Amino acid sequence: METGSQAHTTNPDRNPNPNNPNNRNPSPNRSSTILGSSPLWPTIDGPLGLSEEASVSYARSFYSFGFAMLPWLWALNCFYFWPVLRHSRSFPRIRRYVVRSAVGFGVFTAILATWALTFAIGGKSLFGPVWDQLVLYNLADRLGLTGWS
Amino acid sequence: MAQNTKPTSILDSLGEEIIRIIAPVSICMFMVVILVSVLDSSSSSSTSASVNSIATIAYAETNSDSSWDKFVGALLNSLVFVAVVTVVTFILVLLFYLRCTKFLKLYMGFSAFVVLGFMGGEIALFLIEDFSIPVDCITFVVALFNFAVVGVLAVFMSKMAILVTQAYLVVIGMLVAYWFTQLPEWTTWVLLVAMALYDLAAVLLPVGPLRLLVELAISRDEDIPALVYEARPVTCNGSGAEGRVAQRRVWRDRGSENSDHESNNNPNANSVFVENVDSGSNSTSNASVVPDSSTESNTLVSGHNDATLVRAEEGWVPERDAELSAPLIDPRMNIQPQQSELEGIGLGSSGAIKLGLGDFIFYSVLVGRAAMYDFMTVYACYLAIIAGLGITLALLALYQKALPALPVSIALGVLFYVLTRFLLEAFVVECSLNLLMF
């Protein structure tokens, strides 16, 4: 058992990644902040995820690719680097991109949701005959997209 | 500092590993059953004859043929399909052998995009039409584009959150499985049996393409270029302390790390190993692996292939889903305690059971087809498939080599379907009618 405990005593931070779902360690999430250190792993996967250097490049490329009309990529960027978002003092290089991704996702979703809800709730009374041309099931019928044809 | 290292029992780790494979399989089957029951209530069974694909190229089933004709036709269809799959798998092995990994990756990314974009879009269209959801085309196109592109990124091109990758793999499996359930009935069943037999042959025979693929991958210590669902490895202790990034791939390139002593990447190796030795079981927990001669990478693989068919404009283009070959790979664990190097369970280097996406697909096809009859058959087939999967995992622990994941489950599933449909249903209905049992 000494090997086991040895592996433990070399571990200064008993629960370094509060977001690691594999962790069966009963110690609380705060232990990392108690020591004043930021979480060890920037990704939500913990030790199975990326190291910090790789994370910076991934966060940057996710952020820049998101500009190609991909707000979902921004959202996944925030999800993947959730520990970075949660602990505001950690990983400053990654945090820049993740925060901007979050902002971008929020803005884009707000715009898209506004449009979609206006379309759905407004209906014909708001749009007139254009509604029938824009709504999807009519368009699909006209273009013959369904029916495995 | 005593309490933290309470050794978890075999049941915890082994059960956890099994659950992490069974859960996504069940989710995939459940979603396919939901899709089938929602979407097929609107269309009649006769429309299924209009599906043209490589799987119905020899014979298109109609309702008026006799059973024997249908059976022979289905047999021809399946033979053609299996032949196409074999040829394409051999091409895949050849390409892998010639190290055309770039091309393979591009091809797989392209087919994933087609599956997610076109098939996903069609199914979404069906759902929207059924429920008359007032979505406009702009929102729909943006959403679908996002979904498909990010899916391709998550599965192939870059590293993404494990949960997201797993979710997209399950979605791809679900979409392809739904498409397969649109085939005519006899063709579907005979095709399932044929694919199970093909899987058996391809993985166990020495000339089998899947076996060649696995051996090539092992000898080169590369990943199989395929869509493989990898369960999250189970770590028994507090993980990731040492600041080393654990790697999840099985055949990690050992040249990049010190290959003389293993148990390096993950600090859990020691503790996990200790626990394994303490618990006295070396081979049963997480199904240890056969030691490799060249590298210490031990893997258990079961393989199986699948082909997706993409509808081109006019004709039908069979598109080989090379990615859907299915290894059922076990965690690498060196069970020889006399060697000092060790890779425990849940290690960075792999420590995860892998199941190929083709297995997901064919399990879901079986259950989806059962759903087209009644929910009673769904329950029976689901239990049969899970039992088969459990048996396969147990065999994996026993034999410690690549195993096909299809045959046992499909055999049990088909058997249970037939028994339920023809025997159990009559029994239950009669009991209910006579108010004996409900």
Side-chain angles (χ1 to χ4, degrees), chain A residues 6-92:
Chain A
Q6 172 195 346
H8 248 295
T9 48
T10 54
N11 179 357
D13 201 353
R14 196 185 305 167
N15 188 358
N17 187 356
N19 290 319
N20 188 354
N22 287 338
N23 202 340
R24 295 171 186 213
N25 202 316
S27 56
N29 284 347
R30 295 295 188 149
S31 64
S32 62
T33 52
I34 287 177
L35 298 178
S37 65
S38 53
L40 200 58
W41 301 103
T43 64
I44 203 174
D45 290 331
L48 296 171
L50 300 167
S51 65
E52 184 172 347
E53 296 73 33
S55 298
V56 177
S57 61
Y58 269 94
R60 182 171 43 227
S61 48
F62 284 167
Y63 171 65
S64 45
F65 275 119
F67 279 108
M69 293 269 284
L70 292 171
W72 181 229
L73 190 58
W74 278 333
L76 285 186
N77 199 11
C78 302
F79 173 71
Y80 194 29
F81 294 110
W82 184 247
V84 173
L85 266 188
R86 254 194 83 201
H87 303 270
S88 45
R89 287 272 162 246
S90 57
F91 306 111

Side-chain angles (χ1 to χ4, degrees), chain B residues 78-147:
Chain B
S78 313
L79 284 178
V80 169
F81 190 80
V82 169
V84 169
V85 167
T86 316
V87 165
V88 180
T89 317
F90 271 115
I91 294 179
L92 169 70
V93 172
L94 186 67
L95 285 178
F96 188 57
Y97 180 70
L98 297 175
R99 298 181 190 270
C100 305
T101 24
K102 259 296 190 173
F103 174 74
L104 283 175
K105 274 210 158 261
L106 275 175
Y107 174 71
M108 289 197 294
F110 170 71
S111 46
F113 181 75
V114 163
V115 167
L116 284 174
F118 286 97
M119 288 193 195
E122 284 212 52
I123 292 182
L125 274 177
F126 283 151
L127 288 171
I128 288 175
E129 279 189 344
D130 261 1
F131 293 115
S132 297
I133 307 175
V135 178
D136 65 305
C137 42
I138 306 170
T139 316
F140 180 76
V141 164
V142 168
L144 190 64
F145 173 69
N146 265 263
F147 182 69

Side-chain angles (χ1 to χ4, degrees), chain B residues 19-82:
Chain B
I19 293 287
R20 285 188 183 165
I21 275 290
I22 292 191
V25 173
S26 307
I27 291 174
C28 189
M29 289 199 267
F30 178 67
M31 307 274 290
V32 171
V33 167
I34 297 247
L35 267 183
V36 163
S37 44
V38 162
L39 288 179
D40 271 1
S41 53
S42 45
S43 63
S44 63
S45 60
S46 60
T47 57
S48 64
S50 65
V51 172
N52 281 327
S53 69
I54 193 84
T56 53
I57 202 174
Y59 163 75
E61 182 174 320
T62 61
N63 286 337
S64 56
D65 292 344
S66 72
S67 292
W68 179 250
D69 280 343
K70 285 191 200 176
F71 178 67
V72 169
L75 206 58
L76 289 175
N77 279 340
S78 313
L79 284 178
V80 169
F81 190 80
V82 169

Side-chain angles (χ1 to χ4, degrees), chain B residues 406-417:
Chain B
L406 272 190
V408 181
S409 287
I410 298 285
L412 282 178
V414 171
L415 178 71
F416 273 50
Y417 176 81

Side-chain angles (χ1 to χ4, degrees), chain B residues 217-233:
Chain B
I218 290 180
S219 67
R220 286 193 204 163
D221 208 26
E222 283 173 12
D223 278 330
I224 296 182
L227 274 176
V228 166
Y229 180 93
E230 183 170 344
R232 192 187 287 261

Side-chain angles (χ1 to χ4, degrees), chain A residues 1-14 16-17 20-27 40-41 44-45 47-52 58 62 65 68-73 76-77 79-80 108 112 115-116 119-121 131 133-137 139-141 145-149, chain B residues 1 3-5 7-8 12-13 16 20 51 122-123 125-126 128-129 132-140 142 145-147 149-150 153 158-164 168 178-179 182 232-246 248 267 270-271 274 278 311 316 348:
Chain A
M1 214 43 170
E2 57 270 84
T3 330
S5 55
Q6 172 195 346
H8 248 295
T9 48
T10 54
N11 179 357
D13 201 353
R14 196 185 305 167
N17 187 356
N20 188 354
N22 287 338
N23 202 340
R24 295 171 186 213
N25 202 316
S27 56
L40 200 58
W41 301 103
I44 203 174
D45 290 331
L48 296 171
L50 300 167
S51 65
E52 184 172 347
Y58 269 94
F62 284 167
F65 275 119
M69 293 269 284
L70 292 171
W72 181 229
L73 190 58
L76 285 186
N77 199 11
F79 173 71
Y80 194 29
F108 202 107
L112 198 65
W115 160 249
F119 188 86
I121 301 178
W131 195 87
Q133 292 176 9
L134 279 181
V135 80
L136 191 62
Y137 37 81
L139 202 66
D141 278 340
L145 290 173
T146 57
W148 303 104
S149 55
Chain B
M1 298 295 164
Q3 29 78 5
N4 252 348
T5 51
T8 55
D12 281 342
S13 55
E16 184 77 30
R20 285 188 183 165
V51 172
E122 284 212 52
I123 292 182
L125 274 177
F126 283 151
I128 288 175
E129 279 189 344
S132 297
I133 307 175
V135 178
D136 65 305
C137 42
I138 306 170
T139 316
F140 180 76
V142 168
F145 173 69
N146 265 263
F147 182 69
V149 170
V150 174
L153 282 177
S158 79
K159 223 168 147 178
M160 186 84 79
I162 296 179
L163 194 63
V164 171
Y168 266 110
Y178 179 74
W179 189 90
Q182 299 303 301
R232 192 187 287 261
V234 173
T235 54
C236 304
N237 265 348
S239 57
E242 307 280 290
R244 296 270 209 111
V245 177
R248 284 186 72 233
N270 290 335
S271 45
V274 166
D278 280 350
R311 183 177 85 91
W316 292 94

